[in-house]
Amino acid sequence: MTITRSTSHSRRRTLVHPGKFNPVRIQSLYSDTARHVRLALMPGLSLFDGLVGPLAEIGIHNASTTILGGAFDSIHYCVAPPDPTRQAVIAYGDPIDAGRSYMIFGNATLGRDADRKPLVHCHAAFRREDGRVKGGHILTERCIVGPEPVCVLVTSLDNFELRLAFDPETNILLLQPFEERDHD
Amino acid sequence: MTEMTSVTNGTMGRVAYARIAPNEDLVIGVEKLCLAHGFRNAFVRGALGSLVDACLGANDDKFIEVKGPAVEIVSLAGEVRSDEDGAIKAALSGVVADPQGEIYGGLFVAGSNAICMTLEVTLEEWLPAGD
């Protein structure tokens, strides 16, 4: 059963990951200030291109963004059940085509992949045409903005960079903050 | 008697980004992030990640437990505030998706939402006027 509703709750579970426990539990960096940008994702573009291109033009390569909602011609997403290979605790499943959908709310982190190319990590909730409300990990390059621009609030992260890097504890690649400056 | 005000003026300060590791608690992890950077008050500017299971407060003093792993955090909003005694307290609410993509929402119960793989969170420091 996926959901239970009661006046008490279970003790939380502590999962055992495949790699060695890292005693550093919070990896964090800060900037003295941030730039805030209102970005409009333009119709017909992928969510990825609509975010990455305009922000790169104004020198933003690392950011935390909030997608304030809007119609998409298509949304593709996946969920994360337990990894059958047990190489990690969970693994993303196959892509799911939600079709034409309304994105209710989303958060997307902009950073770099291991080859320093732009990367967008996005989770969102959306309502499909059949009325069902779903959520998960959004495949941003396969999501196409609908007929109207979709508003995004961008908070730039200017004095450090986010980069996809291998995390030995979980045995997967994860976005992590690094001190190196972006020289692009 | 505590003075009640509906408007607090202030400015935004520093911005911190963190990756919080598995099995740490979502709510307490955000509080510890504030401790790490000396933030006394802050707003969540963005967050996504996954939980082992989710535990959310319901309207009727009950709890909604969403079974994972993983339960994806698809929306997170909230703030961290300093109490009169100086202790800091995060209040975070949001929407999660279970391993079938079904979604649920509510207040995250402190101490009962273990991070599954990672939490990416951005906090913006809030500097109330007069502090």
Side-chain angles (χ1 to χ4, degrees):
Chain A
M1 188 174 185
T2 297
I3 181 173
T4 57
R5 187 184 180 95
S6 65
T7 52
S8 62
H9 58 82
S10 311
R11 188 191 187 284
R12 47 163 273 178
R13 291 189 287 171
T14 298
L15 298 188
V16 178
H17 288 266
K20 185 179 177 184
F21 179 84
N22 180 354
V24 177
R25 309 311 291 165
I26 300 179
Q27 300 165 258
S28 67
L29 291 169
Y30 76 92
S31 301
D32 286 331
T33 59
R35 284 182 285 168
H36 296 99
V37 175
R38 181 189 185 276
L39 172 68
L41 303 174
M42 298 311 286
L45 291 180
S46 70
L47 173 53
F48 181 89
D49 288 338
L51 270 175
V52 170
L55 292 179
E57 288 178 10
I58 58 171
I60 295 178
H61 302 281
N62 303 278
S64 182
T65 76
T66 302
I67 303 165
L68 301 182
F72 281 70
D73 284 342
S74 71
I75 284 181
H76 289 77
Y77 73 107
C78 59
V79 292
D83 181 1
T85 71
R86 302 193 176 212
Q87 292 179 329
V89 167
I90 58 160
Y92 285 126
D94 292 334
I96 301 167
D97 182 357
R100 191 184 304 269
S101 300
Y102 184 88
M103 188 174 286
I104 300 166
F105 184 96
N107 275 138
T109 308
L110 171 64
R112 305 273 199 185
D113 69 12
D115 296 324
R116 297 185 56 77
K117 293 176 181 168
L119 173 85
V120 176
H121 184 199
C122 178
H123 288 187
F126 51 89
R127 187 186 65 238
R128 304 190 329 183
E129 274 196 312
D130 64 6
R132 294 181 67 187
V133 178
K134 306 286 277 188
H137 173 89
I138 301 298
L139 303 171
T140 59
E141 294 180 66
R142 299 174 65 174
C143 296
I144 305 300
V145 179
E148 301 292 334
V150 175
C151 181
V152 179
L153 173 63
V154 179
T155 302
S156 71
L157 303 169
D158 290 331
N159 295 324
F160 52 91
E161 68 176 26
L162 308 181
R163 198 166 66 237
L164 199 64
F166 179 70
D167 175 57
E169 180 174 349
T170 55
N171 200 33
I172 64 169
L173 294 163
L174 293 170
L175 269 176
Q176 299 170 48
F178 292 93
E179 298 263 6
E180 293 98 291
R181 281 182 170 274
D182 189 335
H183 296 291
D184 284 359
Chain B
M1 185 174 131
T2 303
E3 185 181 357
M4 299 292 287
T5 57
S6 61
V7 173
T8 304
N9 291 306
T11 56
M12 306 311 289
R14 296 169 290 169
V15 175
Y17 173 93
R19 181 259 160 160
I20 304 181
N23 293 313
E24 298 302 308
D25 182 70
L26 165 66
V27 179
I28 296 167
V30 167
E31 292 173 355
K32 288 179 180 176
L33 173 59
C34 287
L35 291 178
H37 294 294
F39 289 7
R40 303 292 307 277
N41 300 278
F43 290 104
V44 173
R45 275 296 188 182
L48 57 92
S50 59
L51 301 171
V52 176
D53 309 296
C55 182
L56 305 165
N59 294 345
D60 47 6
D61 293 331
K62 293 184 177 177
F63 299 97
I64 297 169
E65 291 186 275
V66 183
K67 184 87 169 170
V71 176
E72 301 269 34
I73 298 169
V74 299
S75 146
L76 184 70
E79 64 171 349
V80 181
R81 285 178 61 85
S82 293
D83 285 345
E84 289 178 358
D85 65 359
I88 60 169
K89 182 178 181 183
L92 306 177
S93 59
V95 175
V96 297
D98 73 9
Q100 289 74 45
E102 304 297 336
I103 69 168
Y104 309 90
L107 179 74
F108 290 99
V109 177
S112 296
N113 287 282
I115 293 166
C116 184
M117 302 299 272
T118 192
L119 176 75
E120 300 169 18
V121 59
T122 299
L123 296 183
E124 192 155 21
E125 185 181 26
W126 168 245
L127 303 167
D131 270 21

